[in-house]
Amino acid sequence: MWWGPAIEAPDPSALAAFYSQLLGWPVVHEEPGTAVMGAPGGSTFFVFQQADGYRPPVWPPVDGEQRPMMHLDFQVGDLDAAVEDAVALGATVATSQFRENVRVLLDPVGHPFCLCLDED
């Protein structure tokens, strides 16, 4: 059984709230140092864990700096509107972009994530 990714954050509840608003998925559990967001239907979860001394990753990667260890991709129907919504929730658009149909953004604590245009 696959549960989902565990994501480090200086404030797990705040980061869970950001992704909850971004995706429309509920935060299903919170306790000190941990927040869990669940997909509708309860088959996939994101766990946000307290990380003392958290250092945000640098995107694109730079030698000697904290590298992104993973990123999340989300498929969207309207790329411009999805970027606008994410920025309104606290994301920032990364300075480096590599594909016309994908936007790299940084969540409020610096984790990169991609919004990918559904072209079907």
Side-chain angles (χ1 to χ4, degrees):
M1 177 177 159
W2 185 74
W3 220 68
I7 301 169
E8 292 187 349
D11 183 343
S13 293
L15 193 57
F18 167 79
Y19 280 104
S20 174
Q21 293 174 354
L22 182 72
L23 300 174
W25 296 5
V27 173
V28 297
H29 178 80
E30 288 188 77
E31 61 186 63
T34 303
V36 180
M37 180 186 69
S43 62
T44 301
F45 301 89
F46 286 40
V47 179
F48 299 89
Q49 298 175 333
Q50 180 72 44
D52 296 328
Y54 175 81
R55 286 181 41 210
V58 175
W59 176 259
V62 173
D63 287 342
E65 298 293 329
Q66 176 63 48
R67 293 181 57 86
M69 301 301 285
M70 63 170 271
H71 72 270
L72 303 170
D73 290 340
F74 302 106
Q75 192 172 31
V76 299
D78 182 330
L79 190 55
D80 291 335
V83 168
E84 185 177 307
D85 290 346
V87 168
L89 293 171
T92 56
V93 177
T95 56
S96 295
Q97 301 292 324
F98 300 99
R99 297 180 61 195
E100 186 176 317
N101 60 343
V102 175
R103 290 295 171 276
V104 180
L105 290 95
L106 306 174
D107 71 20
V109 299
H111 295 290
F113 67 95
C114 293
L115 299 176
C116 308
L117 180 61
D118 179 5
E119 297 181 299
D120 289 333

